[in-house]
Amino acid sequence: SQTIHQWPATLVQPVGSPLSLECTVEGTSNPNLYWYRQAAGRGLQLLFYSVGIGQISSEVPQNLSASRPQDRQFILSSKKLLLSDSGFYLCAWSSGPFYEQYFGPGTRLTVT
Amino acid sequence: GENVEQHPSTLSVQEGDSAVIKCTYSDSASNYFPWYKQELGKRPQLIIDIRSNVGEKKDQRIAVTLNKTAKHFSLHITETQPEDSAVYFCAARYRGGSYIPTFGRGTSLIVHP
């Protein structure tokens, strides 16, 4: 069966510091991968999605970037964090564009 | 692109009552409608979904109905229990573009024992 991992689970970072969040999927190949952000008490905001290695589409221009160095690895980065970057970051995967999305356990980021 | 409206934003019911959450979508080309349940501090979990060739789908106490003509779909929970308390998100995915689901803003369901 498929499993999705995210780490770290919790992160507290000062404003202006860099960020790297990692997501990996097991048990499938060539998944579609997604990064979402959820502010406290709010809905899901799609940040990036990828249909293959090196293929990244951005939904919201901001100080975040994403990379997919391997088939089942998706990384979310920032060079300088802002206070507004605080939130719950969720990685998700699907077998393809016509299939269900499944979410990872999430990373709770607090920027201080 | 797609636009999804979800109502109500908060729903409070007594244990044993039914709960209904409604969503409308804008793009008639949408063909897939999942529902997610998110407990506090946890990830959203897919609980039920429906595709555009079906009008209703049931799974124990949960059902989803779809009205393609009116472009709305609803989640029905019967015999609610305190463990049903969570935020519920609807989504719609359309055939065009990137096939990325568009999510509603969520409904906070509170079931009082």
Side-chain angles (χ1 to χ4, degrees):
Chain A
S1 64
Q2 299 84 9
T3 308
I4 180 168
H5 302 278
Q6 282 187 250
W7 62 90
T10 306
L11 192 59
V12 180
Q13 292 283 97
V15 168
S17 64
L19 173 74
S20 181
L21 303 180
E22 189 164 345
C23 170
T24 59
V25 181
E26 296 177 355
T28 187
S29 59
N30 197 31
N32 284 15
L33 296 172
Y34 313 82
W35 277 112
Y36 288 87
R37 177 169 62 198
Q38 189 174 35
R42 304 293 294 274
L44 296 160
Q45 179 189 26
L46 179 66
L47 302 174
F48 301 94
Y49 68 94
S50 171
V51 298
I53 295 175
Q55 300 179 62
I56 310 292
S57 296
S58 173
E59 290 293 301
V60 183
Q62 53 203 330
N63 68 318
L64 299 173
S65 62
S67 62
R68 185 169 176 174
Q70 299 181 41
D71 181 43
R72 290 169 289 177
Q73 184 184 31
F74 205 21
I75 297 172
L76 182 69
S77 304
S78 174
K79 292 182 179 178
K80 286 186 177 182
L81 284 168
L82 307 173
L83 284 173
S84 57
D85 291 324
S86 293
F88 192 37
Y89 287 80
L90 290 155
C91 181
W93 75 275
S94 65
S95 297
F98 305 104
Y99 296 91
E100 305 82 8
Q101 276 185 330
Y102 296 96
F103 288 86
T107 294
R108 192 162 303 281
L109 172 66
T110 303
V111 182
T112 60
Chain B
E2 179 62 276
N3 182 48
V4 176
E5 299 285 338
Q6 183 173 347
H7 299 281
S9 57
T10 305
L11 180 59
S12 183
V13 301
Q14 288 296 127
E15 182 177 0
D17 288 350
S18 295
V20 181
I21 302 170
K22 298 180 179 181
C23 290
T24 60
Y25 60 98
S26 60
D27 197 319
S28 58
S30 287
N31 64 347
Y32 174 64
F33 308 91
W35 285 89
Y36 288 85
K37 174 184 180 182
Q38 187 178 28
E39 297 176 353
L40 190 63
K42 302 287 184 62
R43 75 184 88 182
Q45 300 265 27
L46 179 69
I47 56 171
I48 196 168
D49 55 13
I50 191 168
R51 298 184 188 273
S52 59
N53 59 344
V54 176
E56 183 176 5
K57 184 177 179 180
K58 287 184 180 179
D59 183 3
Q60 299 181 331
R61 297 186 297 108
I62 293 173
V64 57
T65 58
L66 171 64
N67 184 326
K68 289 188 292 183
T69 303
K71 289 188 284 188
H72 68 71
F73 56 111
S74 300
L75 177 71
H76 304 253
I77 306 174
T78 58
E79 300 173 23
T80 54
Q81 301 166 4
E83 50 265 39
D84 294 330
S85 297
V87 177
Y88 292 80
F89 291 97
C90 65
R93 185 183 68 203
Y94 71 116
R95 297 190 202 96
S98 58
Y99 298 90
I100 304 293
T102 299
F103 285 85
R105 289 177 161 271
T107 295
S108 177
L109 173 63
I110 304 166
V111 181
H112 299 281

